Amino acid sequence: MIELKGITKVYGKGRKAATALSNLDLSIRKGEIFGVIGHSGAGKSTLIRCINLLERPTDGEVWVDGVDLTRLSRSQLQEQRRKIGMIYQHFNLLSSATVYDNIAFPLRLMKLTKAQIEDKVRELLSLVGLEEHRNKYPAQLSGGQKQRVGIARALASNPHVLLCDEATSALDPQTTDSILRLLLDINRKLNLTIVLITHEMHVIQSICDRVAVIHGGGIVEQGEVAKVFLKPQHEVTKEFIRSETQQDSPLQAALASGELGKAVKITFLGEKTYESTLSHVARGTGVNFAILQGTISTIKDVPYGQLVVRFEGEAAAVDSTIAELTAQGLDVEVLTR
Amino acid sequence: MSGLDFSAIDWQEMQDATIATLKMLLYSGIFTIILGLPLGIVLYLSGRSNNMFIRVVYSVLSFVVNILRSVPFIILMVALIPVSKAIVGTAIGVLGTIPALVIGAAPFFARLVETSLREVDRGVIEAAQGMGASTLQIVMRVLLPEARPGLLAGITITLVTLVSYTAMSGMVGGGGLGDLAIRYGYYRYEKEVMIISVIFMVVLVQLLQIAGDRLVKFFTRK
């Protein structure tokens, strides 16, 4: 669906040149919600703006829907851009136009008739739940409502892709969740491919299917959200997850020193999260356990649990407990040596 | 104040002069907008381009605009007498002053237009580009509507400036209230006509400013 090949973006020339992206490849599948997470300055904003060529890469190819956008003429590009919707952190609505006129904007660019525009805008207003606000100006709306207008406007031209540039970063947590639910809803209803960039792991965890972690102008890790989230490899990824799950470091230090005895991190995914596997196995092998830390939550709609557990008992019994848990399909990582 | 005798004022002449001033204001205002608005848009667009050739165009335009703005209007007016003759066939009266007024005010208005367009949020322009809008569509559907309050304020300022320009044009036989004030007040020491003419112009400027402010307020959505 979207293929970025060898994207390099250098700002400025000569000695003042700054490289935002270097030789980056990325592949996004049709119908998925793909998240890109990174700190500010990592190049994520440049990356998403390269997808519709708001930012023209210094080098590389941008393929969307089988078309290399970098080779198009100005007018061909304008045509292709209508298939790519975009929403922004600061909404970027026309302050001089009503909600209705903002949503109608892309339709008027396409020179549709008045009746066609009316039909489409009405449909979009009901999709984003703003029917009563059609004649208001953006200044009269809350942040969440403004982003809903932004979403309706982005969807007006029936795009195949929706790009979200920090779309929830200016919103409070509750509003963020309602916007994320709306995006997920749209993704399912319209089978729309969504690419979003964010610096919040929470956003990725809530709605993304796959995630890429960007750092220093390149992608350092990518994959299914559950895999990346539960088994992070790169230091930057671990940092994002720590900030989300708030795993505290005194415990980590105590575990590493071995003063707490044998501790393991057990990861449950899917239905296993709700099963009593742990106590069942422990009862069988005769060991006792204490839960030192735990998270039970969901990734998109999939439940998961991650527990740090200390076992008490015969060394052999502990080992067979671990073996049995693994045999039951749980992921067990021994934290102490 | 003693020795002022307002009874000697020829009110018919006063009325004719007022109408002449309003006519000059109207015509020069219209042509200033017709010339200055596109010029301001071109200045704005060319000033943001990365293209070397367009940058040169911007520098040249900007230089010409600055020259026209730095020449005192009274000198510009005299210098433009041949131009006025060539365009409207005369350099005196209401008609004769309009080319000079427009050439004097259009560069000024163009700068005001450029400034108000620069105030338009970059993000909104970018969003329009992202939706596949052409440059013309961006100008017509984004820049001008978004900058409307600023443009209206610019028009108000320009019209007020034109009122004082029309008064100066009295010096070279332009007609109107300024002409009346200079002829009676300055050349013939008849202060009464001068005072009344000035009062009329003050009232005119006040009315323009109030109307302009109201329009700006009406169109401001922020």
Side-chain angles (χ1 to χ4, degrees):
Chain A
M1 182 70 193
I2 300 172
E3 291 279 348
L4 302 183
K5 294 181 186 168
I7 297 294
T8 297
K9 175 71 189 181
V10 182
Y11 289 106
K13 277 186 192 144
R15 218 182 280 170
K16 279 189 280 180
T19 307
L21 298 174
S22 54
N23 200 21
L24 181 145
D25 295 311
L26 192 65
S27 167
I28 294 164
R29 298 174 198 143
K30 189 166 175 52
E32 74 175 338
I33 303 184
F34 192 95
V36 177
I37 189 166
H39 294 292
S40 44
K44 57 185 191 299
S45 216
T46 308
L47 173 65
I48 200 162
R49 290 155 54 87
C50 277
I51 298 177
N52 62 358
L53 252 56
L54 275 180
E55 206 78 72
R56 192 170 273 277
T58 317
D59 199 22
E61 296 172 7
V62 179
W63 290 80
V64 179
D65 250 347
V67 181
D68 180 4
L69 299 184
T70 58
R71 284 171 207 270
L72 298 181
S73 72
R74 220 181 146 90
S75 61
Q76 285 172 319
L77 177 62
Q78 282 164 5
E79 197 61 41
Q80 285 298 318
R81 275 176 172 167
R82 293 184 184 156
K83 297 182 190 166
I84 308 172
M86 188 160 184
I87 57 174
Y88 306 83
Q89 179 175 5
H90 298 296
F91 324 121
N92 293 350
L93 302 176
L94 288 161
S95 64
S96 59
T98 60
V99 168
Y100 183 92
D101 289 329
N102 265 292
I103 300 173
F105 184 89
L107 301 169
R108 293 193 176 124
L109 293 182
M110 287 157 41
K111 305 204 165 63
L112 296 188
T113 67
K114 243 187 166 140
Q116 285 172 314
I117 292 175
E118 170 73 36
D119 283 352
K120 186 72 194 174
V121 175
R122 199 189 300 248
E123 176 195 323
L124 289 162
L125 280 170
S126 91
L127 178 72
V128 299
L130 288 178
E131 293 98 329
E132 297 139 45
H133 302 287
R134 60 181 275 160
N135 294 322
K136 284 190 182 164
Y137 287 91
Q140 298 167 282
L141 301 177
S142 70
Q145 290 169 330
K146 284 184 204 169
Q147 196 56 288
R148 283 168 187 271
V149 178
I151 291 170
R153 179 177 71 173
L155 296 178
S157 53
N158 297 320
H160 304 167
V161 181
L162 179 65
L163 307 176
C164 309
D165 185 356
E166 296 270 9
T168 57
S169 300
L171 304 174
D172 62 60
Q174 267 184 331
T175 316
T176 294
D177 285 340
S178 83
I179 293 292
L180 292 178
R181 264 198 306 278
L182 177 63
L183 289 174
L184 190 58
D185 194 38
I186 290 164
N187 164 257
R188 284 173 179 163
K189 245 188 230 167
L190 311 174
N191 192 30
L192 183 74
T193 309
I194 297 180
V195 184
L196 62 86
I197 63 165
T198 182
H199 59 263
E200 294 170 304
M201 201 64 207
H202 166 73
V203 172
I204 302 282
Q205 190 193 343
S206 305
I207 65 167
C208 291
D209 298 302
R210 289 199 303 147
V211 60
V213 183
I214 187 169
H215 185 66
I219 286 170
V220 294
E221 186 165 357
Q222 64 173 313
E224 306 290 326
V225 173
K227 186 177 144 272
V228 173
F229 194 77
L230 298 173
K231 289 263 160 199
Q233 303 299 318
H234 194 273
E235 201 39 56
V236 177
T237 319
K238 289 180 185 166
E239 202 182 303
F240 274 117
I241 289 160
R242 261 203 300 279
S243 66
E244 183 61 30
T245 55
Q246 290 163 350
Q247 292 172 357
D248 52 357
S249 46
L251 176 67
Q252 305 289 341
L255 286 172
S257 72
E259 66 189 66
L260 292 174
K262 188 136 190 164
V264 297
K265 185 196 266 180
I266 307 171
T267 304
F268 307 76
L269 192 61
E271 286 165 18
K272 292 198 169 61
T273 311
Y274 301 137
E275 286 167 7
S276 55
T277 319
L278 178 58
S279 73
H280 204 78
V281 170
R283 204 174 296 156
T285 55
V287 300
N288 289 314
F289 63 87
I291 295 171
L292 305 179
Q293 189 184 54
T295 312
I296 314 268
S297 185
T298 55
I299 294 172
K300 205 166 179 181
D301 291 330
V302 182
Y304 79 95
Q306 203 158 44
L307 301 181
V308 174
V309 169
R310 179 172 65 92
F311 289 118
E312 281 175 0
E314 296 286 323
V318 170
D319 286 343
S320 69
T321 309
I322 293 172
E324 182 58 24
L325 287 170
T326 312
Q328 295 275 340
L330 300 181
D331 186 272
V332 184
E333 182 190 348
V334 179
L335 297 174
T336 45
R337 276 146 291 155
Chain B
M1 285 225 271
S2 62
L4 288 180
D5 177 12
F6 289 100
S7 64
I9 288 177
D10 181 346
W11 289 106
Q12 184 57 47
E13 198 173 10
M14 209 69 224
Q15 189 191 327
D16 291 346
T18 307
I19 289 170
T21 291
L22 289 175
K23 268 188 184 164
M24 280 192 280
L25 196 60
L26 180 70
Y27 295 137
S28 61
I30 289 171
F31 284 105
T32 298
I33 293 169
I34 290 176
L35 270 176
L37 187 63
L39 182 59
I41 293 169
V42 169
L43 278 172
Y44 169 81
L45 292 175
S46 59
R48 287 183 3 153
S49 174
N50 293 320
N51 183 309
M52 275 309 288
F53 173 72
I54 297 176
R55 298 289 308 175
V56 172
V57 171
Y58 176 77
S59 305
V60 172
L61 271 181
S62 184
F63 184 68
V64 171
V65 164
N66 284 347
I67 290 198
L68 284 174
R69 288 188 50 204
S70 49
V71 177
F73 181 68
I74 192 106
I75 294 170
L76 188 71
M77 205 166 43
V78 175
L80 286 175
I81 287 176
V83 178
S84 301
K85 277 186 178 157
I87 297 175
V88 292
T90 174
I92 56 165
V94 168
L95 202 58
T97 55
I98 286 172
L101 288 171
V102 172
I103 293 169
F108 172 70
F109 180 57
R111 277 287 185 221
L112 295 178
V113 170
E114 186 193 3
T115 315
S116 10
L117 295 183
R118 279 197 196 156
E119 296 286 314
V120 175
D121 185 359
R122 282 281 301 127
V124 182
I125 299 167
E126 206 178 86
Q129 282 171 335
M131 286 184 274
S134 65
T135 305
L136 182 68
Q137 285 173 322
I138 288 174
V139 170
M140 300 306 290
R141 295 178 179 277
V142 180
L143 288 173
L144 294 181
E146 286 291 284
R148 190 157 46 198
L151 294 174
L152 287 169
I155 290 174
T156 310
I157 296 171
T158 306
L159 287 177
V160 168
T161 307
L162 276 171
V163 171
S164 70
Y165 283 2
T166 61
M168 274 188 251
S169 73
M171 285 296 289
V172 292
L177 288 167
D179 175 49
L180 212 60
I182 288 166
R183 270 195 291 129
Y184 286 86
Y186 186 68
Y187 295 138
R188 283 157 60 178
Y189 302 106
E190 287 180 26
K191 291 196 205 93
E192 296 83 354
V193 176
M194 187 181 70
I195 289 169
I196 298 293
S197 304
V198 170
I199 288 174
F200 274 29
M201 283 195 282
V202 168
V203 170
L204 181 58
V205 167
Q206 292 295 340
L207 289 176
L208 283 171
Q209 192 63 52
I210 291 168
D213 289 346
R214 289 244 170 111
L215 278 173
V216 170
K217 204 174 162 199
F218 180 75
F219 282 109
T220 301
R221 308 286 184 210
K222 284 193 178 166

